[in-house]
Amino acid sequence: MAGVSLKCGDCGTLLKSVEEAQEHAELTKHTDFSESTEAVLNLVCSTCGKPCRSKTESDLHTKRTGHTEFSDKTSETAKPITLEVPKNQSSDDVDMVDASTTGEPEEMVVPDVDLKLLEELESMGFSKERSTRALHFSGNSSLEAAANWIVEHEEDADIDQMPLVSAKSKSEPSKPSLTPEERKAKAQELKERARKKKEEEEKRMEREREKERIRIGKELLEAKRMEEENERKRIIALRKAEKEEERRAREKIRQKLEEDKAERRRKLGLPAEDPTAPKPSAPVVEEKKSSLPIRPATKSEQMRECLRSLKQSNKDDEAKVKTAFNTLLTYIKNAATKPDEEKFRKIRLTNAAFQDRVGKLEGGIKFLELCGFEKIEGGEFLFLARDKIDRAVLNSAGTELNSAINNPFFGVL
């Protein structure tokens, strides 16, 4: 396969033409170039149309712009590269093209070369045709350049053929080679051009980074706003739930008062109060203490009060309260489901784990005593006798504990 690029042996860069290689050499001082069958990549961004010459360049473009789709048009743009074009842009191929465009055959002659360099090459053992060819295609620059050309092209099929150029191109004066000062000026110009190009690229990159910073800033502000809005909605929902819980508590208290009032009227033998009848306004008199007997609180109410006291006395440590409730629920559940096993009905009061979770908390031991546990052996153990297990009481205790655990507003009022 014919070569389609030039590869720098010093840095591995692929170049499309001799001109690019010359410019690369002037900028980097690299001199080791060889013909390569590997084509210079031509990855065209499908979004903005920017061409990228390497995978690294396409990755940078994706990082800057977010564009990820590229069309590989390397095969469409790859063209065979000719290394035998001299610096003055005159060659056999160019002369043949010129002749074909005019439609008339042109006279081909041997190109002029530096005779002194030609003699030196011949003295080194190279044939006249090979030496002439090397001097012609190396630009008659130096003996070293011609020798290097011979080494690089010694495998060429036409290495020992005398080169020919058109008589017209030979008669035209060749462009004078650049002086050291001109070469220095040209190199400086190329460096300046590369510097400006690099500055422009840095400015463009800075603009892209600034746009990215602005975009990220907007996203952070929007995320913060959404977080604040969600927090505000959560607080509103929490307050609404608290108000609803308070309303239900007041309604429950009111219903309880109504039930107590109806019970007192029934005990006194009075008829039930008509809810539709207008209530007389109470006279402003000094309230007298009622001599009616007060109904004692049920065990469920006493258990609920124990749990409420436990939570109120430890309201700053929710984890401790939750651990105490779960521990009590475990004791009650074991006693109810495994009544024949004594180990589930006997608790050592001096146990460190029990004391830390339940024993030293207000209302903890009293709750167990309400469930039927009794102190034995001088107060060292709490024991629930097998014949004193009351499933209804244990079920009520479990209900109160589940309510206390699952209700976030338990004990608030």
Side-chain angles (χ1 to χ4, degrees):
M1 178 179 176
V4 292
S5 66
L6 289 174
K7 185 173 183 180
C8 178
D10 296 315
C11 63
T13 303
L14 293 177
L15 305 158
K16 287 184 177 181
S17 63
V18 175
E19 289 76 8
E20 284 191 7
Q22 289 175 344
E23 186 172 329
H24 180 76
E26 291 177 353
L27 289 174
T28 62
K29 305 303 181 182
H30 296 166
T31 58
D32 184 12
F33 294 92
S34 60
E35 190 176 2
S36 174
T37 57
E38 181 181 358
V40 178
L41 287 179
N42 186 20
L43 303 176
V44 180
C45 178
S46 302
T47 304
C48 64
K50 176 179 173 58
C52 299
R53 295 181 52 157
S54 65
K55 186 65 170 60
T56 302
E57 190 173 344
S58 64
D59 290 343
L60 290 174
H61 181 69
T62 298
K63 185 176 182 181
R64 289 194 300 265
T65 63
H67 302 164
T68 57
E69 296 295 331
F70 293 87
S71 299
D72 191 351
K73 297 186 178 181
T74 304
S75 60
E76 299 177 12
T77 57
K79 297 180 180 179
I81 190 167
T82 303
L83 301 179
E84 298 180 353
V85 179
K87 295 181 180 180
N88 59 8
Q89 299 299 317
S90 62
S91 67
D92 293 347
D93 295 336
V94 175
D95 293 336
M96 292 175 66
V97 171
D98 291 341
S100 62
T101 55
T102 59
E104 298 178 358
E106 293 189 11
E107 182 184 358
M108 306 300 291
V109 296
V110 178
D112 292 332
V113 295
D114 191 317
L115 297 178
K116 183 178 180 181
L117 295 177
L118 179 62
E119 292 177 0
E120 292 182 2
L121 285 172
E122 289 179 342
S123 65
M124 294 171 64
F126 298 115
S127 65
K128 182 176 182 180
E129 290 79 5
R130 183 175 296 198
S131 301
T132 303
R133 197 174 191 84
L135 289 172
H136 171 64
F137 288 120
S138 65
N140 285 309
S141 57
S142 65
L143 180 65
E144 182 181 359
N148 290 336
W149 189 94
I150 292 175
V151 173
E152 293 173 1
H153 297 81
E154 61 182 354
E155 299 297 331
D156 293 355
D158 57 352
I159 186 66
D160 289 317
Q161 295 179 10
M162 184 66 73
L164 299 175
V165 296
S166 67
K168 181 179 178 181
S169 62
K170 181 177 179 180
S171 61
E172 292 177 355
S174 60
K175 295 181 181 179
S177 60
L178 298 177
T179 63
E181 291 77 11
E182 290 174 336
R183 285 198 297 270
K184 185 176 180 181
K186 185 174 180 62
Q188 186 64 30
E189 179 185 353
L190 291 173
K191 289 181 181 179
E192 184 67 19
R193 192 187 310 165
R195 183 186 63 80
K196 289 182 179 180
K197 185 177 180 181
K198 183 178 180 181
E199 289 179 354
E200 291 175 358
E201 181 67 15
E202 289 178 351
K203 289 180 181 179
R204 189 182 65 78
M205 290 285 291
E206 182 61 30
R207 288 195 297 269
E208 293 291 339
R209 286 193 291 267
E210 182 63 24
K211 289 180 182 179
E212 185 68 11
R213 284 194 292 269
I214 293 173
R215 184 185 65 79
I216 293 175
K218 289 181 179 179
E219 290 181 356
L220 291 175
L221 289 176
E222 180 64 17
K224 185 177 180 181
R225 186 191 68 78
M226 291 290 292
E227 183 180 357
E228 292 175 351
E229 180 67 15
N230 292 335
E231 179 66 15
R232 185 181 67 82
K233 290 180 179 179
R234 190 188 67 81
I235 293 175
I236 291 175
L238 181 61
R239 290 177 179 173
K240 186 176 180 180
E242 289 176 350
K243 290 181 179 179
E244 181 64 20
E245 179 68 18
E246 185 179 356
R247 185 192 65 76
R248 287 198 297 267
R250 286 198 300 267
E251 181 64 21
K252 191 173 182 180
I253 293 172
R254 186 189 66 77
Q255 291 179 0
K256 184 65 177 175
L257 292 175
E258 292 291 337
E259 291 174 0
D260 291 346
K261 186 176 180 180
E263 180 67 17
R264 288 196 299 270
R265 291 180 67 85
R266 186 184 63 77
K267 288 182 178 180
L268 292 172
L270 298 175
E273 187 178 30
D274 186 3
T276 61
K279 296 181 180 180
S281 59
V284 182
V285 295
E286 183 179 356
E287 184 178 355
K288 296 182 179 180
K289 295 183 178 179
S290 174
S291 59
L292 295 175
I294 300 176
R295 180 179 63 83
T298 64
K299 273 195 175 183
S300 295
E301 292 173 339
Q302 293 177 20
M303 291 176 183
R304 190 180 310 124
E305 184 59 31
C306 285
L307 298 178
R308 185 177 290 108
S309 299
L310 191 152
K311 184 169 184 177
Q312 287 289 338
S313 61
N314 299 276
K315 59 184 179 180
D316 295 331
D317 195 343
E318 289 290 337
K320 180 180 288 187
V321 173
K322 190 172 182 180
T323 301
F325 287 170
N326 285 317
T327 303
L328 290 172
L329 184 61
T330 301
Y331 287 142
I332 300 306
K333 183 177 180 181
N334 288 338
T337 57
K338 302 174 183 177
D340 295 329
E341 299 187 34
E342 182 179 330
K343 64 179 181 179
F344 293 121
R345 295 183 282 108
K346 191 172 184 180
I347 305 171
R348 182 185 294 273
L349 291 175
T350 56
N351 183 275
F354 172 80
Q355 283 294 322
D356 184 60
R357 296 180 180 181
V358 176
K360 65 181 182 181
L361 303 182
E362 181 181 346
I365 295 178
K366 184 178 179 181
F367 182 89
L368 292 171
E369 289 177 340
L370 290 171
C371 294
F373 284 85
E374 298 177 345
K375 291 182 179 180
I376 61 172
E377 300 182 15
E380 185 178 355
F381 293 94
L382 274 177
F383 181 70
L384 177 60
R386 178 67 179 85
D387 57 349
K388 292 186 178 181
I389 294 178
D390 189 336
R391 289 188 176 276
V393 172
L394 295 179
N395 289 337
S396 298
T399 301
E400 295 298 332
L401 283 167
N402 281 321
S403 176
I405 292 171
N406 298 320
N407 185 0
F409 304 103
F410 178 80
V412 175
L413 298 178

